[in-house]
Amino acid sequence: MRTAGHQQGEFHGVGIRAVGAYLPAKVLSNTDLEQILITRDDWIRENIGVETRRVAADDEWTSDLGAEALRDACARAGITPADVDLVICGTYTPDNMAPPTAMLIIDKTGATGATGFDVNSGACPGSVFALDVGAKYVASGAYRRVAVVMADVNTKTLDWKDVGPAVIFGDGAACYLLEPCATGRGIGTTLLRSDPTRYRAVWVPREERRFRDGRPRRSAFGDNFAQLSGAAVRAFAVGEVPGFIGELLAAEGLTTDEVDLFALHQANLHIVHGIMDGLGVPRDRTVTNVQRYGNTSGASVPLVLREALDTGRLAPGDVTVLAAFGSGVSMGAAVVRWCADDDFAVPEVPEVPEAPEILAASASATSVASATPEASTSAASAGPAVRDTAAPGAVRAA
């Protein structure tokens, strides 16, 4: 087990080295929903913007999705899960109440020795809230390589007779792989904000529900069911998020014209467009996937980043704004200057050298000792080897 230890006096930027992704194999279309809900395909498209969504299998849980996303992130960075020091799982749908789902992700991926814990920041806002937690651990020097896994099985919280949530949500996972990077690159200003007076706008309360014949109605989480007020969420997102992003940019000394990509939470297509319109920014400076995946909660923003990377919409040197919002109600936003591979060429923490008296025990040892500083300097300047073994392409699915 690795133990956290602060390295005093060392300060680095924090960059997103890779973004992993995973989507369940099952695709549920609006036409499929017409068979189980009182709804219509054309209504969902016109009002929500969702056409299909992914649904986890009956035996597929948050840790399963998260493990695949972590593996994918590691493959894209040319490392293995065993090279990860800390795993943070951002979720509101843990496999069990305890221990944390991060433990299962570590076990399933072979990230042996990593420390892990969960962060429940209200589902959708987690795209930025959990990222901020992970970034602070890297910035402090406590951990060098941190995997922030965003995973939720949203559809397992649904009452499939409650149209509102059922037409919106889908399942998915993504993983930010964080490492120290060159100063001036990576994650910049981050803002977080919450308003508990709208606690019930989007929530998963515990309540008994029954069928007409009196039989208890259950979700996969028992008496816990997702609920939302679409009007309240839309008013909050379109009315407040653009101004919040404006505050972020002002704090970072940027204007909207200097942002290459706005990676926004995929609450629904019209909310994303409403935020872009509120910013006064052309809609083509964002990427949307809610049409195909639905609202994937905390995985939403990193899935947008992954798609932007795969399609060439995001490249090293680009300035991007990440913005997530939802349950709480809460919202978080961050500026990220996207890193190139060279920006991660930060030397590993050096091992403690052998004691001088041991090195002096033989002539060969003395020779090695005299050569060691030169070799160490060369290795430090070169940095760790970097390679990307994953071919570019679509998000992985089972």
Side-chain angles (χ1 to χ4, degrees):
M1 178 180 294
R2 304 186 188 97
T3 303
H6 293 272
Q7 301 167 29
Q8 298 297 331
E10 289 195 15
F11 297 92
H12 304 289
V14 180
I16 301 174
R17 177 65 177 276
V19 180
Y22 176 77
L23 295 161
K26 183 179 179 180
V27 178
L28 189 69
S29 69
N30 292 345
T31 303
D32 295 328
L33 285 179
E34 289 178 338
Q35 310 306 311
I36 57 177
L37 290 167
I38 301 175
T39 190
R40 299 191 321 274
D41 173 34
D42 60 341
W43 185 91
I44 299 172
R45 289 172 185 259
E46 291 171 10
N47 291 276
I48 311 297
V50 177
E51 300 170 15
T52 60
R53 71 280 294 147
R54 299 298 181 94
V55 177
D58 290 345
D59 61 350
E60 198 171 30
W61 291 86
T62 297
S63 66
D64 299 307
L65 276 59
E68 292 296 337
L70 173 56
R71 290 190 189 101
D72 186 46
C74 290
R76 290 173 69 86
I79 65 171
T80 70
D83 297 317
V84 174
D85 303 310
L86 173 66
V87 175
I88 299 171
C89 180
T91 188
Y92 77 102
T93 59
D95 287 29
N96 300 287
M97 293 292 290
T101 299
M103 296 293 98
L104 288 173
I105 294 173
I106 290 170
D107 184 53
K108 290 177 180 181
T109 59
T112 308
T115 300
F117 59 86
D118 291 358
V119 171
N120 181 350
S121 46
C124 305
S127 291
V128 173
F129 276 65
L131 173 64
D132 188 50
V133 174
K136 282 180 166 57
Y137 274 103
V138 177
S140 73
Y143 295 96
R144 185 178 184 276
R145 185 173 285 127
V146 175
V148 181
V149 180
M150 306 306 306
D152 286 304
V153 283
N154 301 294
T155 63
K156 293 185 187 293
T157 70
L158 297 179
D159 176 345
W160 288 102
K161 296 300 180 184
D162 186 350
V163 175
V167 300
I168 294 173
F169 289 105
D171 300 328
C175 175
Y176 301 105
L177 189 63
L178 308 181
E179 292 184 10
C181 71
T183 302
R185 293 285 193 175
I187 301 169
T189 302
T190 298
L191 296 182
L192 308 175
R193 186 167 300 163
S194 299
D195 176 9
T197 64
R198 289 175 280 185
Y199 181 84
R200 292 171 176 78
V202 188
W203 64 325
V204 187
R206 186 181 300 108
E207 65 177 26
E208 288 189 6
R209 295 188 181 186
R210 295 186 177 276
F211 291 99
R212 291 181 179 179
D213 61 6
R215 289 180 296 114
R217 179 180 294 172
R218 311 280 192 202
S219 74
F221 289 91
D223 288 334
N224 295 280
F225 296 96
Q227 298 182 34
L228 63 87
S229 167
V233 172
R234 185 183 183 103
F236 160 58
V238 176
E240 299 182 31
V241 172
F244 183 63
I245 293 174
E247 288 182 42
L248 173 79
L249 294 176
E252 187 72 11
L254 294 172
T255 67
T256 54
D257 291 339
E258 296 173 283
V259 178
D260 299 290
L261 177 73
F262 291 86
L264 306 178
H265 169 54
Q266 306 289 287
N268 80 35
L269 184 62
H270 308 298
I271 285 177
V272 173
H273 288 167
I275 292 172
M276 295 297 288
D277 294 346
L279 288 167
V281 174
R283 294 178 180 180
D284 62 6
R285 281 167 59 196
T286 191
V287 170
T288 58
N289 58 31
V290 67
Q291 304 96 312
R292 303 188 309 280
Y293 305 149
N295 179 339
T296 52
S297 187
S300 167
V301 170
L303 285 175
V304 167
L305 292 174
R306 171 59 182 272
E307 185 159 333
L309 288 166
D310 287 346
T311 57
R313 296 287 303 278
L314 180 59
D318 284 353
V319 175
T320 183
V321 166
L322 283 55
F325 48 88
S327 176
V329 292
S330 293
M331 52 186 169
V335 172
V336 180
R337 289 172 174 82
W338 207 259
C339 293
D341 285 347
D342 291 348
D343 294 320
F344 294 100
V346 177
E348 297 278 1
V349 178
E351 295 184 4
V352 177
E354 295 182 71
E357 60 271 19
I358 297 176
L359 293 175
S362 68
S364 60
T366 303
S367 175
V368 170
S370 64
T372 298
E374 183 177 332
S376 298
T377 302
S378 174
S381 62
V386 176
R387 61 189 179 89
D388 188 347
T389 59
V395 172
R396 294 174 59 203

